Amino acid sequence: MHEPEEPQEADDERPSQAPRDGGERERASTASPFTGLARMSRIDPLAGVRSQLAEMTRLVGPVAALQAQLKQNQKFLAAVQSRAASDVARVGIPSIIASLGPRIDPLAGVREQLAGMARITGPMAALQAQLRQNDQLLASVRSKITVDAGLTNLPLIVASLRPQIDPLAGVREQLADMVRITGPMAALQTHLPKPMPIIDPLAGIRSAGLLPSQAIMAGIRAQIAAVDPLASTLRGLAEQARNAFPSHLLRQTLSARTRLLLPDNLRHVRVQLWPWLLRISAKDGMCLAWAPRAELVDMLVALRTSQARHQVLLDHRKEVLEDVTASLSEVDHPELLVYRELVEEAVDCLVDGRDSAAQALLGNVLDSCMREYGHDWLTDRFANAQFSGMSSHKRLTGALATYDGRSRIRPGMFTAYLLVTALKNTFGPAPRQITFNRHLAAHQAAKGSYCSEFALAASLSVQALLRHLDGYLWTRT
């Protein structure tokens, strides 16, 4: 910082000629110190600071309103998190996204501030373009969560999106221009002598009650020695905006929606047990998605043999059939109502103990549903599959070939793999019936073709097929 130079006298203040006598010279020498003091009194070393503080007061004044809006956003997002964790499954992700989308605004309040900043900052075109890009990014995030969150490992989605989500992106680039126009440090360095007196540039703002938060004031003062105070203030605003939509809340929301891709009765099952669930589907010929209830799923997963698991179904017949009926009540597409009624009739037979009749009816419903809608569903769900034939068995085999048995299955595909694994033996060729086989039950009415455990297993697979077809047909509609 340079010492201030001695101000020069104006030309019209210099004497036009030398004093005419000694008395005049004495009076001139006596008056000169006071004349110098009078000139020094006109120097105001803080003139630049005062003018800049007036601009800062106008610019950052409405912080209280912004903070109130940010607090309101935090409360609202906390309500979203609670709703996602408890009741979102009943309403459905698309409905919630549609209702909440217009209200989630991480930049609430900032846009009102930008209108006041426009007169000083000038080059707002780049900032507005960046804000529009942020809006497009957030819309893309909502779309990805709603439509295709199951296709990618969600932690990877979070890791890839976190560096991009910046509600104040573009503001930092504007700070360079703002420092040139409004930076009070240039005037401060020019006018203040050494040593620099202790100056609090926020005194006027504090006395006006514009920054009630002591924490925010302390953070701004810590930045003054190194950077422009206005830039520090905006960084504080950026931090407040990020706190209104923190990354940990995004991760929790995405994690909760990952669970929503699974049926209620399987959300508690650890991912490490998914291969064992697939093994149970293959060995027992039954799909455990949507039914039975979670407690029975835990009992089945804990057992090591098909015989023991079939016995659990027999011992808890009443609960299994109640869960199948509850799952069927969710199937409401008009094209599937006839099939739903037939399955409900088969469940009534199982309740009455007429298991053979129920097994025959369930086998026919499985065959008809697969032929009418199941093949199209497999083509749509397993887009990478190569189907070598048109029979249900060939179609299921082609779908299963898309999984190598080692890699982790995406949550959105897990129930589909559970179903095709359970149905592969149902439609496959078999010399005898170890698990439920539709062909043998329909064409070989012999002892051993009809078993109570086969009928119960078939009811679980049929309800899972109808649930998948119901979602597929509504999406296609």
Side-chain angles (χ1 to χ4, degrees):
M1 182 177 295
H2 301 288
E3 294 289 346
E5 297 180 358
E6 184 69 22
Q8 300 296 323
E9 294 180 344
D11 292 338
D12 58 359
E13 291 180 354
R14 295 178 180 176
S16 58
Q17 59 185 3
R20 286 175 290 182
D21 56 30
E24 290 179 353
R25 285 194 298 270
E26 181 179 357
R27 284 193 299 272
S29 62
T30 304
S32 60
F34 298 99
T35 302
L37 289 175
R39 287 196 300 269
M40 291 178 65
S41 65
R42 293 197 296 270
I43 300 174
D44 185 2
L46 298 180
V49 177
R50 291 189 179 88
S51 64
Q52 295 302 319
L53 287 179
E55 291 294 338
M56 290 175 59
T57 300
R58 187 191 64 76
L59 184 61
V60 303
V63 175
L66 176 60
Q67 291 175 333
Q69 182 64 52
L70 293 175
K71 290 179 181 178
Q72 181 178 351
N73 277 5
Q74 289 176 326
K75 293 180 181 179
F76 174 66
L77 291 171
V80 174
Q81 181 183 13
S82 174
R83 185 175 182 182
S86 59
D87 199 37
V88 69
R90 179 178 61 81
V91 180
I93 295 177
S95 300
I96 289 181
I97 292 296
S99 65
L100 297 184
R103 298 163 61 188
I104 299 178
D105 186 3
L107 295 177
V110 175
R111 293 182 175 84
E112 290 77 4
Q113 298 298 319
L114 292 178
M117 294 167 59
R119 184 179 66 83
I120 298 177
T121 57
M124 298 297 296
L127 175 60
Q128 292 172 344
Q130 184 65 50
L131 292 175
R132 286 194 296 270
Q133 182 178 350
N134 277 5
D135 290 337
Q136 294 173 358
L137 174 64
L138 292 174
S140 175
V141 173
R142 288 195 292 268
S143 175
K144 196 172 188 64
I145 291 174
T146 305
V147 179
D148 205 23
L151 296 181
T152 308
N153 193 341
L154 288 174
L156 294 179
I157 293 178
V158 174
S160 64
L161 292 180
R162 284 183 60 191
Q164 302 178 50
I165 299 179
D166 185 357
L168 291 180
V171 174
R172 294 174 179 82
E173 289 76 6
Q174 300 300 318
L175 291 178
D177 292 326
M178 293 171 63
V179 170
R180 180 179 58 82
I181 300 175
T182 65
M185 295 305 294
L188 186 65
Q189 292 173 352
T190 301
H191 293 287
L192 289 181
K194 293 182 180 180
M196 182 184 296
I198 298 176
I199 298 175
D200 185 4
L202 297 177
I205 300 175
R206 185 189 298 103
S207 62
L210 298 175
L211 286 177
S213 173
Q214 295 298 323
I216 294 179
M217 291 172 59
I220 294 175
R221 282 197 298 269
Q223 300 290 333
I224 290 177
V227 295
D228 183 80
L230 184 57
S232 303
T233 301
L234 290 177
R235 275 196 290 273
L237 296 179
E239 185 64 26
Q240 292 291 321
R242 280 192 291 271
N243 290 337
F245 199 75
S247 59
H248 73 86
L249 178 59
L250 177 61
R251 289 195 300 270
Q252 293 174 5
T253 303
L254 290 176
S255 178
R257 286 171 178 167
T258 299
R259 289 294 180 184
L260 293 179
L261 297 174
L262 299 173
D264 292 342
N265 67 326
L266 296 182
R267 289 177 188 168
H268 69 293
V269 179
R270 293 182 292 111
V271 175
Q272 292 80 359
L273 290 177
W274 287 8
W276 179 239
L277 279 175
L278 291 171
R279 179 66 173 163
I280 291 175
S281 295
K283 288 173 62 66
D284 301 350
M286 60 183 179
C287 180
L288 299 181
W290 292 284
R293 62 195 63 180
E295 294 82 358
L296 293 180
V297 169
D298 290 340
M299 295 174 62
L300 295 170
V301 169
L303 299 173
R304 312 307 298 178
T305 65
S306 295
Q307 181 179 359
R309 289 188 291 270
H310 283 152
Q311 189 60 47
V312 168
L313 298 182
L314 295 174
D315 294 342
H316 296 273
R317 173 192 292 254
K318 179 176 180 295
E319 293 91 336
V320 171
L321 296 179
E322 287 176 353
D323 296 339
V324 169
T325 301
S327 178
L328 290 173
S329 67
E330 300 294 328
V331 178
D332 57 1
H333 194 277
E335 297 183 39
L336 297 177
L337 294 181
V338 173
Y339 291 124
R340 189 188 75 180
E341 292 174 359
L342 290 174
V343 177
E344 290 173 341
E345 184 177 341
V347 171
D348 291 338
C349 291
L350 289 171
V351 172
D352 296 338
R354 293 178 283 123
D355 298 345
S356 298
Q359 180 179 330
L361 180 55
L362 291 171
N364 286 332
V365 172
L366 270 175
D367 184 59
S368 299
C369 282
M370 282 298 299
R371 291 176 183 273
E372 188 169 4
Y373 303 112
H375 295 183
D376 292 338
W377 170 73
L378 289 171
T379 302
D380 177 77
R381 202 74 178 99
F382 298 87
N384 298 328
Q386 296 182 356
F387 303 110
S388 59
M390 295 302 298
S391 67
S392 296
H393 175 65
K394 293 290 187 182
R395 307 288 289 185
L396 291 166
T397 301
L400 279 175
T402 60
Y403 176 55
D404 59 12
R406 296 183 302 275
S407 59
R408 180 176 174 179
I409 299 176
R410 296 185 295 271
M413 288 295 296
F414 180 60
T415 56
Y417 277 111
L418 274 180
L419 179 59
V420 297
T421 302
L423 294 182
K424 182 175 181 295
N425 291 335
T426 300
F427 287 94
R432 60 190 183 90
Q433 202 158 209
I434 300 175
T435 61
F436 173 64
N437 183 275
R438 188 213 65 84
H439 179 79
L440 292 178
H443 301 289
Q444 187 174 340
K447 184 178 180 180
S449 294
Y450 300 96
C451 300
S452 297
E453 56 267 32
F454 292 166
L456 290 170
S459 69
L460 293 173
S461 295
V462 172
Q463 64 84 26
L465 176 61
L466 288 179
R467 291 295 296 268
H468 273 293
L469 295 181
D470 184 68
Y472 164 68
L473 291 176
W474 278 120
T475 302
R476 192 181 67 175
T477 304

